[in-house]
Amino acid sequence: MPRPGTERELAAAFPLFAKTLDELCARLDPYLELPLKSVMFADPGTRTAALLGRASYAGPALFAVQVAQYRLLRSWGARPDVLFGHGAGRMAAAYAAGVFSPAGGCHAVGTLARLLDGAPGAAAPQALRTAYGRTLATLHPRPPRLPLVSDLTARPVGAETAEPGFWLPGPGSRRFADVAALLHRDGVRNWLELGPADTLTRALAEALPSDAAPAPGSAYAVARDWAVLRAGFGSGLRGAPV
């Protein structure tokens, strides 16, 4: 479940997280009506905090939090064996895999956020895809340097990530259970969820067969377990996919 205040806790405790979050928010602010950090850190229940319910703010906020968390985990010694981004999280996973630079990832996420606030109507989806495709073509996405699994195909991806069309929004269900099963078959036993919640971590038990459910102490969420993770990576916890 979401943990309000997690970003504040991490920013107060770890200068690297705070610095990275500030840098990413500064890159994303030109695409938004209000500064992203003011929305993310708004008091719960206020109209400003409610903006996180809009896709135009939710996507950039998730990207900024996940990338800042990833950099923090790397500083603790975390080295993922495989990466998987679910829904809007696929852009942060792509950044972690080396597909986008920080500037390129922010440009892609910010452009999509701005387009999602565009004109409604039947022609909007195709117009959005066309405009977003033009932006992605200028970013020159690279093939992943770390194994990356698609949430739409539940298969590893490679050179196709260099094609702008691969990142265009489109129809299709998110195949979390299929991805979880694939990763388990490939030997993944430690799981680590980045973001403001522990939704996917909690879903693992239902996504995997009963005889393959995660063992106690093998599935973590940064939002819930960051103190445990800090101590664990210091003592050698490794190989957790993101």
Side-chain angles (χ1 to χ4, degrees), residues 22-155:
D22 284 346
E23 291 173 351
L24 293 166
C25 287
R27 290 184 182 275
L28 289 162
D29 283 347
Y31 303 91
L32 305 171
E33 296 177 358
L34 295 177
L36 180 58
K37 193 173 178 182
S38 71
V39 176
M40 293 171 61
F41 282 47
D43 292 332
T46 62
R47 293 178 64 183
T48 302
L51 291 173
L52 285 176
R54 287 169 48 181
S56 53
Y57 284 94
L62 182 64
F63 180 79
V65 168
Q66 289 179 324
V67 171
Q69 288 178 343
Y70 181 72
R71 288 191 186 173
L72 181 62
L73 290 167
R74 292 277 296 182
S75 76
W76 293 346
R79 298 295 184 268
D81 296 317
V82 61
L83 295 151
F84 160 60
H86 185 69
R90 69 200 307 245
M91 294 304 292
Y95 157 78
V99 176
F100 294 106
S101 67
C106 286
H107 187 38
V109 170
T111 298
L112 181 59
R114 187 164 56 191
L115 290 170
L116 287 172
D117 270 347
Q126 185 55 47
L128 184 151
R129 287 174 59 85
T130 300
Y132 195 43
R134 285 196 297 266
T135 293
L136 290 168
T138 69
L139 300 179
H140 307 293
R142 297 177 294 270
R145 293 195 297 264
L146 292 171
L148 179 66
V149 176
S150 168
D151 61 333
L152 292 178
T153 65
R155 294 195 301 268

Side-chain angles (χ1 to χ4, degrees), residues 76-79 190 220 228-240:
W76 293 346
R79 298 295 184 268
N190 291 321
Y220 302 92
V228 175
L229 289 167
R230 185 190 189 193
F233 283 120
S235 63
L237 178 64
R238 290 285 301 276

